[in-house]
Amino acid sequence: MEIQVLHQVMDWNEDVSDAVKQTLAGQHICMINVMGSPGAGKTSLITALIQRLKANFRVGVIEGDIAGQVDAERIAALGVPTVQLNTDGACHIEAMSIQKILPALPLDRLDVIFVENIGNLVCPAEFRIGESLRMTLLSIPEGDDKVEKYPLMFTDTDCLVLNKYDMLPYFDFDEARVCANYEAVNPSAPLFRVSSRTGDGIDALADFLSGHIARAAR
């Protein structure tokens, strides 16, 4: 019975996710679900991407946290519409939460919405939220075993960002191991090497995302 209940909950979330996707498609908005561990650099990467994209696209952000609004304040300071979504203990964002919070954003004046999901390599991978694209971060300090330990997160993503790449010389991080494991579970999704601190690799990632945003706008 427990398996059946879980399946029903997942089906319910998928139905709401599909409804959110239809709403965003009607507004020609690309929604990007940004996932990764706590401290992987999600907020810093979103900030760097906004700086690259805002000249061509109208950007909004849904900032997910268990509590607080520190990251939302940091994003809002860039002058983009930002909404804080606190899960009050839940380890992921669900589609229903996105559906309820979307009216707080000026959808008629947006081309792309970044959703910073809760820092977690397990639960967010299991729940679709109506996104157009999934982006997973793995930072160099986290270690090179994460693709093997958390395969769903890396299998069900549209791209992988090796973040904090400027720290590679200072950590015992086997990049070849990560690349081989990622290729084995998700051979068609690109990998980007990025440093939000130095800006290296941000342009290539922004170009990739721009293509998806432009297609959604058609």
Side-chain angles (χ1 to χ4, degrees):
M1 292 298 296
E2 290 181 359
I3 294 176
Q4 291 176 348
V5 169
L6 177 59
H7 185 64
Q8 290 167 6
V9 169
M10 295 288 279
D11 281 350
W12 170 80
N13 186 79
E14 287 297 312
D15 290 343
V16 179
S17 176
D18 289 342
V20 170
K21 186 173 287 189
Q22 290 177 8
T23 297
L24 294 172
Q27 295 282 350
H28 305 285
I29 295 173
C30 176
M31 188 164 74
I32 301 172
N33 186 359
V34 183
M35 301 179 291
S37 298
K42 297 185 294 296
T43 306
S44 295
L45 181 62
I46 291 172
T47 300
L49 287 169
I50 289 172
Q51 301 286 12
R52 300 301 198 284
L53 296 171
K54 66 181 182 180
N56 298 314
F57 301 106
R58 300 167 298 175
V59 183
V61 176
I62 297 173
E63 183 61 47
D65 286 297
I66 290 177
Q69 59 183 43
V70 174
D71 292 337
E73 292 171 353
R74 180 178 170 190
I75 296 291
L78 300 175
V80 301
T82 306
V83 179
Q84 178 69 51
L85 173 57
N86 286 345
T87 64
D88 296 325
C91 60
H92 61 278
I93 294 173
E94 294 184 6
M96 180 64 76
S97 296
I98 297 296
Q99 187 178 58
K100 289 181 176 179
I101 208 169
L102 279 179
L105 288 170
L107 299 183
D108 58 338
R109 301 196 302 276
L110 294 178
D111 301 307
V112 56
I113 298 172
F114 286 99
V115 178
E116 180 173 343
N117 216 313
I118 306 303
N120 189 333
L121 286 177
V122 181
C123 303
E126 300 176 1
F127 289 84
R128 292 276 173 178
I129 59 172
E131 66 270 58
S132 310
L133 183 142
R134 292 182 142 200
M135 180 168 66
T136 298
L137 275 66
L138 172 62
S139 67
I140 299 301
E142 291 177 70
D144 52 31
D145 57 356
K146 298 302 179 286
V147 180
E148 296 162 83
K149 288 185 175 181
Y150 307 98
L152 181 59
M153 176 61 75
F154 298 93
T155 301
D156 196 11
T157 189
D158 297 296
C159 67
L160 172 60
V161 177
L162 284 185
N163 199 28
K164 304 184 182 180
Y165 196 72
D166 55 307
M167 303 185 74
L168 186 62
Y170 309 106
F171 286 85
D172 185 15
F173 185 92
D174 188 343
E175 182 180 356
R177 176 186 184 184
V178 171
C179 293
N181 289 329
Y182 182 57
E183 171 124 18
V185 299
N186 201 348
S188 62
L191 182 151
F192 297 90
R193 297 163 176 84
V194 166
S195 169
S196 301
R197 186 180 67 84
T198 67
D200 291 342
I202 297 289
D203 287 341
L205 178 58
D207 288 345
F208 171 75
L209 298 179
S210 293
H212 286 270
I213 299 167
R215 282 192 288 276
R218 293 173 186 167

